[in-house]
Amino acid sequence: MSFRKKLLLLFAATVLLCVAVISASVYNTMRHSVEQANQDRASAIAAQFRSEFQRRAQDVTRKVDAIASSEIVQRIALEQSRGTVDSGQNVTEARTLATQQQLDFLEITDSRGTILSSAQWQAKFGYPEAAISDTTTPAMPTVAFLKREELPDGATLGLFAERIVQAGEQPLYVIGGERLNQRFLTTLDIPAGTRVLLYQNLDANWNPQLLFDLNGSASGADKFARLIARVRDTQQESQSVIRWTSDSADAEVFHAIPLTGPKLGTLDHAGATQQLLGILLVGSSRRPLIELQRQVISTAMFVGGAGILVAVLASLWFAARVTRPVESLALAARRVAAGDLNAKVEVESNDELGELAASFNRMTEDLALQKDRAVQAERVAAWRELARRLAHELKNPLFPLQVTVENLMRAKQKSPELFEEVFHESTTTLLAEINNLKTIIGRFSEFSRMPQPQCQSIQLNDIVRSVLRVFQAQLQEKNHIIVNTVLDGALPQISADPDLLHRALQNLVLNAIDAMPQGGSLTIRTAPNGDQVELSVSDSGSGLTPEECERLFTPYYTTKQHGTGLGLAIVQSVVSDHGGKISVDSKRDEGTTFTVELPIDIRNRS
Amino acid sequence: MTRIAFQFRAATREASRGLAMSSAASSVAKGASACPGRAKFGHHLRSMDLRASNHRNDAILFAPITLPVVALILAVCATAPASTRPHYGGTLRIMMQSTPNTLDSPANATPTEYWDASRTLALIGDTLVELDAAGRPIPALALAWQSDPSFRHWQFTLRPGIKFHDGTLATPAAIAQILSPIHPEWKVQAGADSLPATSLTIDLATSMPNLLAELALPRNLLLKRNSARIPIGTGPFLVSDWQPGTQLKLAANEESWAGRPFVDSVEIEYGKSLHDQAIAVESNKADVIEAAPQPPNASPALNASSAATSLPVELMALAFSANSRTLDIRLREALALAIDRKSIQTVLLKGVGTASATILPNWMTGYSAVFSTQSNLQRARAVLANSRQPALTLSYDPTDPQAQLIAERIALNAREIGITVQISLTGNADMRLVRVALPSPDPATSLIEAARQLGLAQPSFAPTPRRDPMEDLYQSERGLLDDHQVIPLFHLPVATAVGTRVRDWGPDQLGRWNERNNATHSLADAWLADSQTEDREAARSLVEQR
């Protein structure tokens, strides 16, 4: 992984972490705020319910007051004081009065708490009213209260008020109330997204039929069982999340408010022991919270994504800014490694990277300088070698020329009779040596005038066979050299100059023959190799040292006593002109193999 | 003066019928006196004494004597205003609660339906025999009757020359043709050739001492039916127009064997609530209505009319269904003990009727006090001890305005001993709060009829009657009540209110409207005062008050 990528990832991870931390912080803050808002809303609903409860209580009290002062009740009170109560006539009076005042419940009881008339259960006359039957010291209650009311079809919950009508010595009690039911809930002003349920705590055990909302019996009532049980146990407000579906947005937070009333058997409600009679459930949908939560998450995701993108871009820019000198250095280093000692790095800053770049430039300058010196030294060495070779090559024929000329001179002076004979022999020698000199000069001249290849489609195997035919006689004289040819019959045609290839192969074969003065085996192989063909010439001579291998293709370098040192240089030049390359592999005492790789199509030369 | 005027009218009408019937009647009376069973069967046989029961026939018998007496009385009464004398004409307007779709006597009817049908059909048809308020048989279409000692073979002598409204003679064969389908088990036929042409015989498979009471029931009214199922009888009125469920118009039967009614027609409006009826009679839009019974010492509920409350002729009871969860006799017994009848009677029934633990009212039997009506919760709980009781359902007649409260009160009473009773008007309830009519002043007949309506087994009477027939009745009724399948609660009266126009008429003690043997209880003998009469009477009443 590149330095830039690492830097990029580091920057991105840092930004992502920052965005995640900020989002989590915002979410927690928002969640806390929404839950607090829900709590406040539930409290507001509860307060509103209590306010409504008080208002309704006042309403009930006012109606009961009106009934208590009605002519009918006054008459009954008077009858009671006179002991002339007409039970048959009175039994329906409570219902009449309750209907007039739009009360659900109304009971008129005598001083002992015996029901004289009941609106909600007319047949209950003569039975004791539980709310006051045990009263020994009745006190006028001033506030309305919750009470469980028994009805023919079961118990229910009501909001009651009581009044005492005094006509004579015997008090008459009027107890009226309204049913705490679905209709009661409809009078509450409930905010959107909120709903109210009422559980009438009338059974010893959880009874889903006693839970209702504005529309009647509450659906899914069993889901409230645990919350209601908790409130029943603690008689304290409680809260719970009710999940309706797998979608958390459908869940509702319910705030349970216990509703208590005095235990039956006393009118002194202020000091009476309270009992749990109902539970008000104020529910608010979690959808706003969840949607806000989702919105925050999506926003965080968006911001995070955008942050990451910005971070990536910034990282790219920053990494580029940071890594560009480094990359320039790397590129320059690669160019230097490739031999381009002129590679320079632009120094753009004065920091450590700038110093590094300057140092690199100084280093390459030094290397170039050293290379120039080396080249110059090598060139001097080459010239020296050339001079040495030329001197050596030229000295060899010059010495016979000098000796021959001196023999002529000596024969002219000391043996003129033999001069003719000596002259004849000397001129022959002189011509021979002059020819030798011309040959040497011709070679050097030929190396300097290597022609450009004239390519045509040829079969390399044919070139090999042709060269072998040239050396056939020589090889037959030295029959101790065994020639092996491994030629691939499917070798493709290549585009090459046949004369130049012929000449190069001649040099390789000649070198191989020269490397095996004591005989050996000469192996020539051809084989296709991808888009190239491969030609190898192996001998089983004494081999070369690595140093010799390195300098083998240097012009005028030879390991032979009478070589010009241009043979392999010519081979390398020919191969190079055909877009191929030549390599040598040699092991001491095992032999040397020259491998030539030529492109099938010279246009594909590398 | 009214009474005298009626007797004069009856006498003049009956005088035209000759003396043949009186001789026949007296012969029957003699035969009846010779009946060996008369002493044993008490009131049954006592009711056969025509001399004691039929004042109309008395009038006939003594017509030669009474005529000069009447003439003398008329002379004395000449000073009285002529307008107070009965006169013909006018339409008697009656209102009823029920809404009958047919002019039949329904088999399983509510008491209201029963009374309404009986009262309506009694204006159109006659039975062979009638019972007076004391349960004594009196002649109707049959002038005389006799039975063999086994009470299986009965012979009736019909009034001769009686015609149905369609003009056909009410011959023994025609009567037999009507009665036979009603009682397939009876063999009803015209008398043999050896008997007079007006003879009708009824042969029974089993002994039936109370056959006369049975024949007096409304279901044995001798009514023919035309193609429209309109009843054609021999009564004082014939059907002139019938609007099922709403109105019936009757016209005076000019050929009535008891004489033409004073009123020309009767209009009966059905489906009127007691409240509507009360308003109608108060506003002079009705002459005879059904009224809510009042307690004995209550002040009159209606101002412009007179109301009469009958003896208790209905039973309100709690009847358990045969296949209910209440098969445990202890449960039924405990419930019977828990019900506080007194509170219900005092408060919910407003003192009307009497609390009772028997099927038959005390005025019929005299032994009701033997059966306690007091609630006894302690004993009820003891009866229920160690038994687990199911919740019971109780239904009632929703058209009965008092039934719901009474049912709720019973449920409340039951709750006190731990029995849960739920009021339900749907499905098959475990028990029903029912009212049944006690149709006959004859206790045995009413017991049989009540048992039938309550779904009880027919009461069994001792094969050999005891010396005191009430002992038989007591044992039979106790046998019906022993398993508490029925818990009698109250005996209730019926009431009738009569408008100011109506003269010389009122219902009898049993709330019946057309008791022919008593002119003051027969609508055929009622007449309507015109407006001038009413004004004069009002003025005279004012003067008398001053």
Side-chain angles (χ1 to χ4, degrees):
Chain A
M1 185 181 288
S2 67
F3 176 66
R4 178 177 289 193
K5 288 180 181 174
K6 288 179 181 175
L7 204 59
L8 199 63
L9 284 177
L10 181 63
F11 284 157
T14 304
V15 170
L16 191 62
L17 184 64
C18 291
V19 169
V21 168
I22 291 171
S23 297
S25 175
V26 169
Y27 170 70
N28 283 332
T29 305
M30 176 270 305
R31 181 179 176 182
H32 179 72
S33 300
V34 172
E35 286 180 352
Q36 184 62 42
N38 275 339
Q39 183 81 18
D40 293 344
R41 187 161 59 170
S43 300
I45 293 285
Q48 182 183 345
F49 179 82
R50 292 190 185 96
S51 172
E52 182 67 21
F53 194 85
Q54 288 302 321
R55 189 186 68 76
R56 297 295 289 274
Q58 292 170 0
D59 193 32
V60 169
T61 305
R62 181 181 54 76
K63 290 178 177 177
V64 172
D65 280 339
I67 290 172
S69 58
S70 69
E71 186 181 340
I72 293 174
V73 171
Q74 295 295 329
R75 174 182 58 77
I76 297 173
L78 203 58
E79 287 177 358
Q80 184 187 226
S81 66
R82 292 173 180 169
T84 57
V85 174
D86 184 351
S87 302
Q89 182 183 355
N90 294 337
V91 72
T92 57
E93 299 289 21
R95 180 163 291 182
T96 305
L97 291 168
T99 305
Q100 287 173 357
Q101 292 294 334
Q102 296 181 326
L103 284 177
D104 297 320
F105 308 120
L106 179 65
E107 282 181 343
I108 302 170
T109 74
D110 64 11
S111 58
R112 296 184 302 277
T114 303
I115 296 171
L116 300 177
S117 183
S118 171
Q120 61 269 27
W121 197 347
Q122 282 188 303
K124 208 175 180 183
F125 62 88
Y127 279 80
E129 164 53 52
I132 59 174
S133 59
D134 297 334
T135 304
T136 53
T137 55
M140 174 68 76
T142 55
V143 295
F145 56 93
L146 278 180
K147 187 169 82 77
R148 171 195 176 102
E149 184 62 29
E150 298 293 335
L151 296 176
D153 53 353
T156 188
L157 201 59
L159 178 61
F160 287 84
E162 295 174 333
R163 285 294 177 267
I164 297 177
V165 180
Q166 198 80 37
E169 294 181 354
Q170 301 293 329
L172 189 76
Y173 294 99
V174 178
I175 309 167
E178 287 185 355
R179 193 187 286 257
L180 219 61
N181 59 2
Q182 181 184 346
R183 184 162 53 91
F184 186 86
L185 294 181
T186 58
T187 61
L188 297 176
D189 184 16
I190 301 171
T194 305
R195 65 182 182 127
V196 177
L197 294 89
L198 182 66
Y199 178 73
Q200 295 185 331
N201 190 38
L202 302 173
D203 272 3
N205 299 316
W206 154 250
N207 184 351
Q209 294 177 343
L210 296 177
L211 181 66
F212 56 85
D213 57 14
L214 294 174
N215 303 318
S217 292
S219 57
D222 286 337
K223 288 186 178 291
F224 294 94
R226 293 181 63 184
L227 175 61
I228 287 174
R230 192 158 61 234
V231 177
R232 281 161 58 110
D233 291 342
T234 62
Q235 300 209 3
Q236 300 289 327
E237 294 189 7
S238 185
Q239 185 172 310
S240 179
V241 175
I242 307 292
R243 297 186 183 280
W244 300 107
T245 65
S246 56
D247 184 2
S248 57
D250 290 336
E252 290 178 288
V253 180
F254 276 92
H255 192 82
I257 305 163
L259 304 175
T260 59
K263 284 197 171 178
L264 299 182
T266 174
L267 275 178
D268 186 12
H269 301 291
T273 305
Q274 298 288 305
Q275 61 176 341
L276 182 66
L277 292 174
I279 298 171
L280 184 72
L281 298 159
V282 182
S284 55
S285 172
R286 293 197 76 200
R287 182 168 291 280
L289 171 65
I290 298 300
E291 287 180 350
L292 184 60
Q293 182 179 340
R294 287 174 178 168
Q295 192 173 354
V296 167
I297 291 173
S298 61
T299 303
M301 295 284 286
F302 175 75
V303 170
I308 290 171
L309 185 62
V310 170
V312 167
L313 294 175
S315 302
L316 281 172
W317 176 80
F318 188 71
R321 185 178 173 82
V322 171
T323 60
R324 192 185 306 128
V326 178
E327 287 178 349
S328 298
L329 276 172
L331 180 63
R334 281 196 295 273
R335 287 174 61 190
V336 169
D340 181 7
L341 296 179
N342 293 322
K344 296 290 184 186
V345 177
E346 188 177 354
V347 179
E348 296 176 339
S349 62
N350 297 322
D351 54 8
E352 290 83 354
L353 288 174
E355 189 178 347
L356 178 62
S359 299
F360 181 83
N361 288 340
R362 282 196 301 275
M363 181 190 73
T364 54
E365 286 172 0
D366 291 345
L367 283 175
L369 189 59
Q370 288 176 10
K371 183 183 177 185
D372 288 344
R373 287 175 183 169
V375 168
Q376 192 171 3
E378 190 175 353
R379 189 175 298 143
V380 169
W383 279 112
R384 284 178 180 167
E385 181 67 18
L386 179 62
R388 188 186 66 79
R389 293 297 304 174
L390 278 173
H392 176 74
E393 291 291 332
L394 292 177
K395 190 168 64 176
N396 287 340
L398 282 179
F399 181 72
L401 284 177
Q402 182 182 359
V403 172
T404 302
V405 171
E406 286 176 355
N407 284 338
L408 276 178
M409 289 174 65
R410 232 181 348 264
K412 183 85 181 192
Q413 293 172 355
K414 294 177 179 178
S415 304
E417 71 278 12
L418 294 174
F419 179 73
E420 194 64 31
E421 184 180 357
V422 172
F423 178 77
H424 182 69
E425 289 177 358
S426 296
T427 53
T428 303
T429 301
L430 287 173
L431 288 173
E433 290 302 326
I434 289 168
N435 284 334
N436 195 18
L437 279 173
K438 286 172 69 178
T439 301
I440 292 170
I441 292 167
R443 285 180 184 172
F444 277 95
S445 177
E446 187 180 0
F447 178 68
S448 64
R449 294 186 285 104
M450 284 296 291
Q452 285 297 313
Q454 302 298 315
C455 293
Q456 56 182 301
S457 180
I458 61 166
Q459 176 55 253
L460 186 58
N461 291 339
D462 295 340
I463 301 296
V464 172
R465 293 188 192 98
S466 172
V467 170
L468 289 178
R469 276 197 298 273
V470 171
F471 288 94
Q472 187 174 11
Q474 189 176 351
L475 290 171
Q476 285 176 352
E477 289 176 5
K478 297 179 179 180
N479 52 6
H480 51 279
I481 294 176
I482 301 168
V483 178
N484 298 318
T485 55
V486 183
L487 303 180
D488 192 327
L491 196 68
Q493 298 269 358
I494 63 170
S495 175
D497 186 328
D499 293 335
L500 291 179
L501 282 188
H502 191 276
R503 186 174 168 184
L505 185 57
Q506 269 187 323
N507 286 344
L508 291 175
V509 172
L510 187 59
N511 274 353
I513 293 172
D514 289 343
M516 297 181 292
Q518 303 303 321
S521 63
L522 171 65
T523 303
I524 299 175
R525 289 187 178 88
T526 60
N529 182 14
D531 56 351
Q532 294 178 328
V533 293
E534 204 171 79
L535 168 67
S536 64
V537 178
S538 303
D539 63 63
S540 57
S542 58
L544 300 170
T545 65
E547 292 76 17
E548 289 173 336
C549 287
E550 283 184 5
R551 300 188 63 188
L552 208 54
F553 298 102
T554 304
Y556 309 114
Y557 175 79
T558 182
T559 57
K560 294 183 289 188
Q561 192 137 12
H562 302 290
T564 61
L566 293 174
L568 287 176
I570 290 169
V571 172
Q572 186 186 37
S573 176
V574 170
V575 170
S576 178
D577 288 345
H578 280 82
K581 69 177 182 181
I582 184 170
S583 59
V584 60
D585 182 23
S586 179
K587 289 183 180 177
R588 203 66 186 168
D589 300 329
E590 289 185 4
T592 302
T593 298
F594 288 91
T595 302
V596 175
E597 296 175 5
L598 292 171
I600 293 174
D601 188 346
I602 194 171
R603 289 170 296 182
N604 294 335
R605 71 181 67 174
S606 58
Chain B
M1 294 302 297
T2 303
R3 175 73 175 176
I4 294 169
F6 162 72
Q7 285 182 342
F8 169 74
R9 171 182 159 271
T12 51
R13 283 187 298 177
E14 295 300 329
S16 63
R17 299 187 188 279
L19 298 176
M21 288 191 294
S22 64
S23 61
S26 61
S27 66
V28 172
K30 289 174 184 175
S33 300
C35 175
R38 179 176 175 180
K40 292 182 180 179
F41 289 95
H43 67 276
H44 295 291
L45 303 182
R46 284 198 304 273
S47 63
M48 290 183 174
D49 186 354
L50 300 183
R51 288 171 298 182
S53 62
N54 193 341
H55 71 278
R56 190 171 297 175
N57 289 330
D58 290 346
I60 295 168
L61 290 172
F62 298 102
I65 303 170
T66 54
L67 281 174
V69 174
V70 168
L72 179 62
I73 292 172
L74 282 174
V76 172
C77 294
T79 55
S83 59
T84 60
R85 296 170 190 163
H87 57 261
Y88 290 90
T91 298
L92 184 70
R93 299 159 302 176
I94 299 175
M95 287 186 175
M96 294 182 175
Q97 294 182 77
S98 64
T99 55
N101 291 317
T102 61
L103 290 174
D104 291 317
S105 183
N108 293 309
T110 64
T112 301
E113 293 169 340
Y114 177 82
W115 298 125
D116 289 351
S118 301
R119 288 163 174 168
T120 301
L121 295 175
L123 297 174
I124 302 169
D126 294 293
T127 52
L128 284 176
V129 184
E130 292 181 353
L131 296 186
D132 65 8
R136 293 170 298 201
I138 52 177
L141 280 190
L143 282 172
W145 51 85
Q146 61 184 359
S147 73
D148 67 348
S150 68
F151 299 105
R152 294 174 57 195
H153 303 290
W154 291 78
Q155 180 183 337
F156 295 85
T157 303
L158 303 184
R159 291 180 190 272
I162 304 297
K163 290 183 179 177
F164 286 103
H165 297 155
D166 59 359
T168 58
L169 282 173
T171 61
I175 301 301
Q177 199 170 3
I178 294 170
L179 280 178
S180 293
I182 300 173
H183 300 283
E185 71 277 13
W186 296 356
K187 185 178 180 183
V188 185
Q189 56 189 356
D193 294 340
S194 59
L195 295 174
T198 56
S199 292
L200 178 76
T201 60
I202 298 178
D203 295 318
L204 306 171
T206 58
S207 172
M208 196 168 180
N210 58 339
L211 176 67
L212 298 179
E214 166 65 30
L215 288 173
L217 292 176
R219 64 167 169 256
N220 292 312
L221 280 165
L222 300 170
L223 297 170
K224 297 200 297 184
R225 303 280 172 176
N226 63 10
S227 58
R229 296 287 302 163
I230 301 297
I232 300 170
T234 57
F237 296 96
L238 55 90
V239 177
S240 61
D241 183 44
W242 164 234
Q243 303 296 327
T246 57
Q247 192 178 52
L248 174 67
K249 289 183 179 178
L250 301 172
N253 179 13
E254 302 291 347
E255 303 294 327
S256 174
W257 58 268
R260 185 196 187 277
F262 281 114
V263 297
D264 291 339
S265 60
V266 175
E267 285 185 5
I268 303 176
E269 285 189 76
Y270 294 104
K272 299 294 183 183
S273 68
L274 292 180
H275 181 259
D276 291 345
Q277 293 184 41
I279 292 174
V281 78
E282 286 295 296
S283 56
N284 204 23
K285 291 180 180 176
D287 299 313
V288 179
I289 62 165
E290 299 161 326
Q294 297 298 315
N297 299 322
S299 55
L302 301 173
N303 297 323
S305 62
S306 60
T309 299
S310 73
L311 290 170
V313 289
E314 288 182 9
L315 169 69
M316 178 177 278
L318 208 55
F320 292 93
S321 63
N323 298 318
S324 73
R325 289 167 288 182
T326 55
L327 290 177
D328 186 352
I329 190 172
R330 291 180 298 169
L331 177 65
R332 299 196 296 265
E333 182 182 358
L335 194 58
L337 287 167
I339 296 172
D340 183 5
R341 294 176 176 83
K342 180 171 173 47
S343 293
I344 297 174
Q345 191 264 337
T346 304
V347 180
L348 298 184
L349 296 176
K350 296 180 171 53
V352 172
T354 55
S356 177
T358 56
I359 295 174
L360 297 176
N362 194 54
W363 67 266
M364 279 190 193
T365 62
Y367 58 66
S368 290
V370 177
F371 296 79
S372 173
T373 59
Q374 296 293 317
S375 68
N376 189 337
L377 298 180
Q378 191 175 359
R379 193 176 150 208
R381 291 191 187 100
V383 169
L384 279 179
N386 301 325
S387 63
R388 187 178 177 182
Q389 305 305 333
L392 305 178
T393 53
L394 168 62
S395 69
Y396 60 89
D397 177 8
T399 63
D400 185 341
Q402 295 168 315
Q404 181 182 355
L405 277 183
I406 295 173
E408 288 179 2
R409 184 71 179 188
I410 290 170
L412 203 55
N413 292 154
R415 183 180 290 196
E416 283 195 88
I417 58 170
I419 298 176
T420 302
V421 174
Q422 294 171 338
I423 310 298
S424 170
L425 293 179
T426 58
N428 296 321
D430 297 314
M431 48 190 174
R432 297 172 296 131
L433 181 66
V434 295
R435 283 189 193 221
V436 295
L438 301 171
S440 173
D442 175 61
T445 302
S446 278
L447 185 63
I448 292 169
E449 194 61 19
R452 185 187 66 78
Q453 293 186 60
L454 292 169
L456 299 174
Q458 284 299 297
S460 59
F461 295 96
T464 305
R466 294 179 174 83
R467 179 175 298 275
D468 182 0
M470 283 302 142
E471 179 67 18
D472 275 344
L473 199 64
Y474 172 80
Q475 294 299 340
S476 297
E477 186 167 2
R478 178 162 287 287
L480 290 177
L481 296 176
D482 269 350
D483 62 355
H484 302 285
Q485 197 68 34
V486 167
I487 301 175
L489 299 174
F490 308 100
H491 286 116
L492 303 170
V494 294
T496 303
V498 184
T500 54
R501 288 205 311 161
V502 182
R503 295 289 187 274
D504 292 342
W505 182 82
D508 72 356
Q509 284 181 300
L510 305 184
R512 296 180 296 185
W513 287 2
N514 199 29
E515 189 191 0
R516 299 240 172 71
N517 63 78
N518 190 331
T520 57
H521 301 316
S522 170
L523 276 175
D525 294 322
W527 57 280
L528 300 174
D530 54 24
S531 57
Q532 290 180 347
T533 306
E534 289 185 75
D535 293 342
R536 275 193 290 271
E537 286 186 353
R540 188 188 309 133
S541 173
L542 193 61
V543 169
E544 287 174 355
Q545 286 178 6
R546 287 179 178 177

